[in-house]
């Protein structure tokens, strides 16, 4: 056989392998999409089974509870029994957070108000953001609540004392869609509407941008359990990972 024939056969084998690889990727993507679809359909079925309309309000299904964000109610996902109505919000509730020790529940609304509920005795207090509250996160020791708002600031609230700590991070030109504390509580990661991810010092509010961040809105953040990796999910369909220094 001449060299051209060998080259053509090699090209055909490479082409066939590429097609098979793409089919495998598509199968994996379908599996992931199907699993997400099943999870979504299951959640909707639970809502409908207990008389809720999944398309008629804003809901979140989390740890065996169905949270109705607009009204500030939550229900047991198994029985559908109403467990608590969180009163005090005049505007749509856009975000919530539960402290790691299970003591506190915080809800933030589109008017800039934050309600903090002590779950053991249903005692409520109020913190204040500015404009709409976009994200909330409790520190690992449950003592501090980070409050991100549409006014492009992240403020820190002393939960037990009911006072601002004084630390204030100004993001300048964008606001945070997602915030999460590092495992040791020394850093707050903030993902923004413009895409970049910032690391914020909760003590003084100073921040620095992570390298090679998203260029479209960052919608979710998470640290690995050992704190060595920070993951950011963006509207561009990419999850970015950073190895964190000690």
């Amino acid at each position: 056989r001449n060299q051209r024939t060998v080259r053509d056969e090699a090209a055909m084998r490479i082409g066939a392998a590429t097609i098979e690889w793409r089919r495998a990727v598509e199968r994996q993507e379908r599996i992931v999409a199907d699993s997400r679809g099943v999870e979504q359909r299951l959640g909707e079925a639970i809502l409908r089974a207990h008389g809720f309309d999944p398309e008629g309000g804003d809901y979140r299904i989390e740890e065996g509870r169905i949270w109705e964000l607009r009204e500030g109610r939550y229900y047991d996902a198994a029985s559908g029994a109403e467990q608590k109505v969180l009163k005090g919000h005049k505007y749509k509730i856009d975000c919530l957070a539960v402290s790691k020790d299970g003591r506190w529940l915080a809800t933030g609304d589109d008017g800039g108000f934050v309600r903090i509920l002590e779950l053991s005795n249903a005692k409520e207090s109020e913190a204040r953001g500015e404009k709409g509250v976009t994200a909330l996160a409790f520190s690992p020791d449950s003592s501090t609540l980070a409050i991100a708002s549409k006014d492009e600031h992240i403020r820190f609230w002393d939960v037990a004392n009911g006072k601002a700590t004084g630390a204030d991070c100004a993001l300048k030109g964008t606001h945070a869609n997602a915030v999460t504390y590092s495992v040791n509580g020394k850093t707050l990661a903030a993902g923004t509407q413009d895409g970049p991810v910032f690391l914020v010092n909760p003590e003084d509010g100073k921040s620095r941008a992570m390298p090679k961040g998203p260029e479209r809105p960052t919608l979710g953040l998470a640290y690995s359990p050992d704190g060595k990796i920070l993951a950011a999910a963006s509207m561009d369909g990419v999850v970015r990972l950073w190895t964190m220094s000690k």
Side-chain angles (χ1 to χ4, degrees), residues 33-246:
D34 288 346
S35 66
R36 289 175 178 169
V38 168
E39 181 180 353
Q40 178 66 24
R41 289 193 295 274
L42 177 60
E44 292 176 356
I46 291 172
L47 290 170
R48 289 194 176 96
H50 297 298
F52 304 124
D53 178 8
E55 298 178 358
D58 296 326
Y59 298 92
R60 178 180 299 176
I61 301 172
E62 180 180 296
E63 297 182 355
R65 291 176 177 174
I66 299 171
W67 301 85
E68 185 180 4
L69 300 184
R70 186 176 297 276
E71 298 295 333
R73 304 168 185 265
Y74 66 84
Y75 307 82
D76 180 78
S79 67
E82 184 176 294
Q83 296 186 345
K84 176 67 180 176
V85 179
L86 308 179
K87 299 179 180 179
H89 283 286
K90 296 180 180 179
Y91 303 91
K92 178 173 68 74
I93 301 172
D94 287 329
C95 52
L96 59 80
V98 180
S99 62
K100 188 175 181 180
D101 62 6
R103 182 180 178 184
W104 307 101
L105 167 67
T107 53
D109 69 29
D110 198 45
F113 293 93
V114 177
R115 303 293 297 177
I116 302 173
L117 174 71
E118 190 168 1
L119 292 171
S120 62
N121 57 24
K123 182 180 178 181
E124 293 185 48
S125 60
E126 184 177 278
R128 186 77 170 98
E130 294 293 336
K131 297 185 178 180
V133 178
T134 56
L136 298 168
F138 283 97
S139 59
D141 64 2
S142 304
S143 65
T144 305
L145 177 66
I147 304 172
S149 301
K150 290 180 180 178
D151 69 345
E152 303 174 0
H153 284 255
I154 301 174
R155 298 171 176 83
F156 297 87
W157 192 261
D158 186 320
V159 180
N161 294 330
K163 298 180 180 179
T165 67
D168 187 336
C169 173
L171 294 174
K172 297 179 181 179
T174 188
H175 67 263
N177 289 328
V179 291
T180 187
Y181 274 90
S182 61
V183 176
N184 61 15
K186 294 182 178 180
T187 303
L188 180 82
T192 64
Q193 178 65 18
D194 286 352
V197 175
F198 293 87
L199 298 183
V200 182
N201 184 339
E203 296 297 323
D204 57 18
K206 293 181 179 180
S207 65
R208 61 182 177 90
M210 295 294 291
K212 299 181 180 180
E215 295 182 357
R216 297 190 65 188
T218 296
L219 304 178
L221 295 168
Y223 279 95
S224 60
D226 60 8
K228 294 181 179 180
I229 296 175
L230 173 64
S234 172
M235 195 176 286
D236 61 8
V238 177
V239 175
R240 292 169 174 82
L241 304 176
W242 291 276
T243 300
M244 309 305 293
S245 59
K246 295 182 179 180

